[in-house]
Amino acid sequence: DIVMTQTPLSSPVTLGQPASISCRSSQSLVHSDGNTYLSWLQQRPGQPPRLLIYKISNRFSGVPDRFSGSGAGTDFTLKISRVEAEDVGIYYCMQATQFPRTFGQGTKLEIK
Amino acid sequence: EVQLVETGGGLIQPGGSLRLSCAASGLTVSSNHMTWVRQAPGKGLEWVSLIHSGGNTFYADSVKGRFTISRDDSKNTVYLQMNSLRAEDTAVYYCARYSAFDVWGQGTMVTVSS
């Protein structure tokens, strides 16, 4: 299975400031069809996970444009341009290139 | 509106069985790959099982031989039959659409304890 490693595991951020989360995969996530199936999920406290970003940089429906994704191959980044209070929660990267889907350990975003 | 609703969780003794249900509305389970993902208390996400639209089923090694995924197309519902439950199966179990993990249920809590 592909191992997904996130850093940091905890990220205290000041409201209005940017935040960044890194995710590294144990092997390339480039699929044979040429796409890279790396997604980001957000889990707010007491809520199920929610899809934010798919295929590295595509925002899912309804996701604010302060969220952006980038990267290639094995290294990926989720950025929040200006953190808002509703962004508190745990963020997971997930690969969908190879079966089975695997997730990073999660990064807890909290307000300073 | 697309919605998944899980039911069937509860407190069960080690070695016992439970059947979880995931009722779908706004999407047809037989036309989608559907999956179960679990989250132990305070822990991350773990993929558990998958049923393809064609009916093929797949399992994580940790549950293989103990859990069975199935669906009832007439009820538009996916099930997870869990047998020989262990303490380490304690978790919130989520149902989701597998293709993009774009649709998730609210989850149902399973606690395995004596």
Side-chain angles (χ1 to χ4, degrees):
Chain A
D1 296 1
I2 295 178
V3 177
M4 306 297 289
T5 304
Q6 290 180 230
T7 55
L9 298 184
S10 177
S11 180
V13 182
T14 302
L15 286 174
Q17 293 300 301
S20 180
I21 300 169
S22 295
C23 176
R24 177 167 288 178
S25 56
S26 60
Q27 55 189 275
S28 174
L29 298 186
V30 179
H31 193 274
S32 57
D33 65 8
N35 289 305
T36 300
Y37 294 99
L38 185 283
S39 298
W40 290 95
L41 306 169
Q42 175 197 57
Q43 187 174 32
R44 290 171 171 151
Q47 295 294 312
R50 163 198 178 200
L51 179 65
L52 288 180
I53 302 278
Y54 62 97
K55 287 198 286 186
I56 303 178
S57 59
N58 295 273
R59 274 188 302 277
F60 187 57
S61 174
V63 175
D65 60 8
R66 64 179 182 274
F67 290 92
S68 64
S70 63
T74 61
D75 289 285
F76 306 93
T77 302
L78 175 70
K79 292 184 179 177
I80 309 173
S81 57
R82 294 173 304 280
V83 171
E84 298 188 5
E86 65 177 17
D87 299 336
V88 164
I90 301 176
Y91 291 78
Y92 296 92
C93 59
M94 181 194 79
Q95 68 81 19
T97 292
Q98 187 181 102
F99 177 85
R101 305 282 195 261
T102 49
F103 303 89
Q105 324 93 298
T107 295
K108 188 173 185 178
L109 185 75
E110 50 196 2
I111 305 302
K112 277 184 188 174
Chain B
E1 181 192 4
V2 179
Q3 195 174 15
L4 299 173
V5 178
E6 302 97 332
T7 55
L11 174 63
I12 188 75
Q13 291 190 337
S17 298
L18 273 180
R19 188 178 80 157
L20 307 182
S21 299
C22 169
S25 55
L27 73 83
T28 303
V29 298
S30 60
S31 300
N32 287 274
H33 305 331
M34 301 298 295
T35 195
W36 289 93
V37 173
R38 67 184 180 184
Q39 186 172 37
K43 301 297 184 182
L45 302 169
E46 179 190 14
W47 173 77
V48 173
S49 184
L50 160 69
I51 183 164
H52 269 185
S53 56
N56 290 342
T57 58
F58 305 87
Y59 302 93
D61 288 344
S62 57
V63 306
K64 201 171 293 183
R66 300 187 299 124
F67 291 11
T68 303
I69 191 171
S70 63
R71 70 178 190 231
D72 184 330
D73 296 346
S74 67
K75 295 183 178 178
N76 208 29
T77 298
V78 178
Y79 302 99
L80 187 67
Q81 177 68 44
M82 305 187 297
N83 298 329
S84 303
L85 283 161
R86 306 166 180 168
E88 54 266 35
D89 296 319
T90 293
V92 174
Y93 285 73
Y94 295 103
C95 174
R97 179 159 61 182
Y98 185 78
S99 56
F101 279 85
D102 57 336
V103 183
W104 292 73
Q106 286 294 316
T108 186
M109 182 71 205
V110 172
T111 303
V112 184
S113 175
S114 54

